């Protein structure tokens, strides 16, 4: 495999230091290996934080002095937005100026808007719609907390990316 990889691959992506050591032991040339933990290009992710952190498009979503919780997810039932709304009611007791920014779209959006209104959360829950993926690192870095209320996830991007941005995650 190592001889084959050395011959035909420009680069070989490994997602852990263990994989990297194994590939080196097997004879894959070091200059062919690219380390991307969980397939996240960390350098690119951090570069996008710097690139968009002060952009007007990102900045307009955040209000100085208001703690900001962010949830980036499709608006589908299994993402558990309703549980997040219930938690927000509790959080508001201690942080009355807290804002929840929901980024994403989906078939459940109309129902979520109605639910937020029925719970008296329209001043606290903000439906932001979709954003370009390049903005995600900056959005996460400007947030006070990132949340995941999903009932199931296939991969932990939603946990890894906020941590990489230096933002605490509540799940």
């Amino acid at each position: 495999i190592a001889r084959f990889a050395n011959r035909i691959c420009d680069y070989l992506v490994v997602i852990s230091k263990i994989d990297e050591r194994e590939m080196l032991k097997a004879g894959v040339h070091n200059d062919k290996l690219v380390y991307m933990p969980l397939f996240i290009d960390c350098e690119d992710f951090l570069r996008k934080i710097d690139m968009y952190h002060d952009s007007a498009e990102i900045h307009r979503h955040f209000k100085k002095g208001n703690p900001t919780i962010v949830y980036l997810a499709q608006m589908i039932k299994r993402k558990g937005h309703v549980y997040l709304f219930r938690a927000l009611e509790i959080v508001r007791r201690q942080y009355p100026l807290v804002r929840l920014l929901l980024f994403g779209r989906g078939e459940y959006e109309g129902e979520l808007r109605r639910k937020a209104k029925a719970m008296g959360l329209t001043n606290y829950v903000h439906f932001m719609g979709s954003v370009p993926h390049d903005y995600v690192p900056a959005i996460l870095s400007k947030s006070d907390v990132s949340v995941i209320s999903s009932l199931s996830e296939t991969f932990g991007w939603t946990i890894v990316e906020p941590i990489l941005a230096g933002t605490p995650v509540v799940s």
Side-chain angles (χ1 to χ4, degrees), residues 55-170:
S55 78
E57 183 60 29
I58 303 297
H59 193 69
R60 70 184 179 91
H61 300 307
F62 297 87
K63 292 185 177 180
K64 191 172 182 165
N66 292 43
T68 305
I69 301 169
V70 169
Y71 189 28
L72 292 116
Q74 288 181 307
M75 293 191 187
I76 56 177
K77 198 163 191 161
R78 76 173 172 82
K79 294 296 183 175
H81 290 83
V82 172
Y83 303 110
L84 184 53
F85 291 176
R86 290 182 194 152
L88 184 62
E89 290 179 313
I90 296 166
V91 170
R92 281 192 44 244
R93 291 179 198 149
Q94 179 130 7
Y95 301 96
L97 298 177
V98 70
R99 300 173 72 233
L100 171 61
L101 306 182
L102 301 176
F103 290 91
R105 295 239 182 256
E107 62 194 40
Y108 199 49
E109 184 175 347
E111 189 171 334
L112 289 172
R113 286 177 181 275
R114 287 188 292 280
K115 184 72 170 173
K117 185 176 182 179
M119 294 174 77
L121 297 173
T122 52
N123 292 330
Y124 309 98
V125 176
H126 304 274
F127 292 83
M128 311 307 291
S130 297
V131 294
H133 189 70
D134 282 356
Y135 290 179
V136 168
I139 289 168
L140 290 170
S141 74
K142 289 184 80 73
S143 305
D144 294 298
V145 176
S146 177
V147 294
I148 299 114
S149 58
S150 182
L151 302 175
S152 68
E153 286 293 332
T154 56
F155 194 76
W157 296 87
T158 54
I159 293 174
V160 175
E161 285 184 332
I163 291 170
L164 191 56
T167 302
V169 179
V170 175

